[in-house]
Amino acid sequence: MNVYSHAITQSPVAVSFSKIVARAQLTSRDVALFDSHRFTIARAIENRLDFSKAEIIGSFARDTAIHGSSDVDLLVVLRKRSLTWGDSLKRSTTVLADVRLALQDRFPGTMVGKDGQAVVVGFNDGQHPVDVVPACYLQQGGPYNHPVYGIPDGAGGWLVTSPSSHNRLVAEADGRAGGKLKYAAQIFKYWRCTRSVVVPLSGFHAELLLAHEGVCEGARSYAEIFRDLLVILSNRGCSALNDPLDISGRIEAAATSAKRAQAVRTVDDSARHADAAVQAESAGNYREALRQWQMAFNDRFPG
């Protein structure tokens, strides 16, 4: 099935949204470089730390990564004996420091930083970074009985998560939506990048909202779906979402309260323009609809 078959081709608004989806797709070069980088990192970790396995998580695994702004999240599962001190897990900041040192040793000419929950390896091309997330296997659990891990929470502790469980939740919702959810998530990620500073909202949070609220289900255009997502975020004040699978507790929309406040201002403004755009399109006023979408996308809505 053509990935743009959901667009209502006679509507210029639908055509513009299909152009966003087209622009968002990863290229074959993106995929090749990400695959090469993650393989190299996995080998480096395996040779330097007490390594169990590595697997792709995040937007790349859920097929919602976009060209030009997404990175690859690599879950690196370390054996528990290397993560414990006595009967307790080490502080996650200590584990992150160990992973960072191992990667700096392997990639001395590459920028290796951290963002609180991961070690970020930049690589020389500058556009295909890999976020290395150390993890400790905890148990099988959740409604799908998938692996449950502890990963850094950004404050020295550990956050309980199950990436494959959440991937399945999103995939099932995407199936009920006829494949529209993953493209709606890519539209959201494109919109985040239309400001001079990327809107500091979590794509994972948005995907869970789309799945949990059933926004993409039924005969709905991408304009209606994206308007509804922005309105939901606005009405919620970009507050944290209770994990629909009851595994990870509260899933934040933004990393800090300051970033959430910054995001809310942009979301509120874009939601108003998006709602006006959908109403204009419903009335057959495509020119006004396109004008409103241009404002929602900060003049980066394709014509």
Side-chain angles (χ1 to χ4, degrees):
M1 182 177 67
N2 188 298
V3 295
Y4 316 123
S5 62
H6 300 293
I8 305 170
T9 54
Q10 64 268 30
S11 163
V13 173
V15 171
S16 293
F17 272 101
S18 71
K19 289 179 181 179
I20 292 175
V21 173
R23 292 177 184 179
Q25 301 312 302
L26 296 175
T27 67
S28 58
R29 180 175 181 271
D30 290 333
V31 175
L33 283 171
F34 279 135
D35 282 346
S36 173
H37 292 344
R38 70 182 178 86
F39 177 77
T40 303
I41 287 173
R43 289 292 300 272
I45 294 291
E46 184 177 13
N47 291 335
R48 289 163 175 78
L49 296 173
D50 200 359
F51 171 88
S52 175
K53 67 174 183 175
E55 63 181 72
I56 294 293
I57 60 172
S59 60
F60 206 91
R62 294 189 298 275
D63 203 19
T64 60
I66 69 170
H67 172 70
S69 71
S70 291
D71 51 19
V72 163
D73 297 303
L74 186 66
L75 187 80
V76 173
V77 183
L78 302 174
R79 292 188 174 88
K80 201 164 187 177
R81 64 194 178 206
S82 69
L83 299 174
T84 54
W85 184 262
D87 295 327
S88 302
L89 284 173
K90 297 177 183 176
R91 286 181 59 80
S92 60
T93 46
T94 301
V95 176
L96 282 166
D98 291 341
V99 172
R100 186 181 184 189
L101 284 172
L103 292 173
Q104 284 179 325
D105 179 51
R106 171 60 182 81
F107 306 109
T110 298
M111 176 66 71
V112 179
K114 61 180 181 178
D115 70 356
Q117 291 185 285
V119 175
V120 183
V121 185
F123 291 102
N124 292 332
D125 62 79
Q127 295 183 344
H128 300 85
V130 178
D131 287 358
V132 182
V133 183
C136 174
Y137 173 79
L138 301 177
Q139 63 184 18
Q140 298 291 124
Y144 303 119
N145 197 35
H146 282 203
V148 176
Y149 300 99
I151 64 172
D153 66 358
W158 295 88
L159 170 71
V160 178
T161 189
S162 177
S164 61
S165 295
H166 290 115
N167 292 353
R168 180 168 170 179
L169 172 74
V170 171
E172 289 179 349
D174 186 53
R176 292 192 299 272
K180 288 182 288 187
L181 188 152
K182 67 179 180 181
Y183 298 124
Q186 290 179 324
I187 292 167
F188 169 79
K189 292 171 185 181
Y190 174 89
W191 168 84
R192 279 191 319 187
C193 298
T194 58
R195 273 65 185 172
S196 56
V197 176
V198 174
V199 182
L201 285 174
S202 162
F204 177 51
H205 178 95
E207 289 174 48
L208 289 185
L209 267 183
L210 287 168
H212 184 61
E213 298 286 343
V215 176
C216 304
E217 296 177 26
R220 314 199 70 227
S221 69
Y222 286 120
E224 292 170 318
I225 291 168
F226 187 59
R227 183 273 311 271
D228 285 1
L229 175 59
L230 289 175
V231 169
I232 290 169
L233 285 166
S234 178
N235 289 342
R236 291 173 53 84
C238 298
S239 60
L241 172 70
N242 288 328
D243 182 2
L245 299 182
D246 199 26
I247 294 173
S248 299
R250 300 275 284 171
I251 296 172
E252 298 290 344
T256 66
S257 57
K259 288 183 177 180
R260 182 166 75 91
Q262 175 189 343
V264 165
R265 291 190 291 271
T266 306
V267 166
D268 287 350
D269 182 65
S270 292
R272 285 192 296 271
H273 290 300
D275 189 54
V278 169
Q279 292 187 48
E281 183 180 9
S282 179
N285 189 346
Y286 296 123
R287 183 173 182 175
E288 176 62 11
L290 291 169
R291 189 181 76 85
Q292 292 289 344
W293 280 121
Q294 281 293 351
M295 288 188 282
F297 281 82
N298 198 32
D299 292 328
R300 291 182 61 186
F301 191 69

